[in-house]
Amino acid sequence: MKNLIARFIKNESGATAIEYGLIAALISVVMVSVLVALGPEIKATFQDVQTNLASRSSL
């Protein structure tokens, strides 16, 4: 029984999985924040491209 408890305490695979999960969550939060902050600028850029393409196709 003592050996089983010692192995359980030394086992770090669960902690590693939790760390990877936290890193993935942090990256996701950063990506969403950047997209929310830059969303209007990106939309305006694509709108400009669409407008320019439409005006050039009518020439």
Side-chain angles (χ1 to χ4, degrees), residues 32-44:
V32 168
S33 299
V34 168
L35 289 175
V36 166
L38 296 178
E41 293 179 31
I42 294 171
K43 183 178 180 181

Side-chain angles (χ1 to χ4, degrees), residues 2-57:
K2 187 176 182 181
N3 189 15
L4 179 65
I5 293 172
R7 280 191 331 203
F8 179 75
I9 291 173
K10 289 181 183 179
N11 187 357
E12 296 181 0
S13 63
T16 303
I18 291 172
E19 290 168 357
Y20 284 138
L22 290 173
I23 290 169
L26 178 63
I27 290 171
S28 299
V29 167
V30 169
M31 288 176 60
V32 168
S33 299
V34 168
L35 289 175
V36 166
L38 296 178
E41 293 179 31
I42 294 171
K43 183 178 180 181
T45 301
F46 279 108
Q47 188 66 39
D48 290 343
V49 170
Q50 181 182 4
T51 303
N52 288 334
L53 287 174
S55 67
R56 294 190 188 266
S57 66

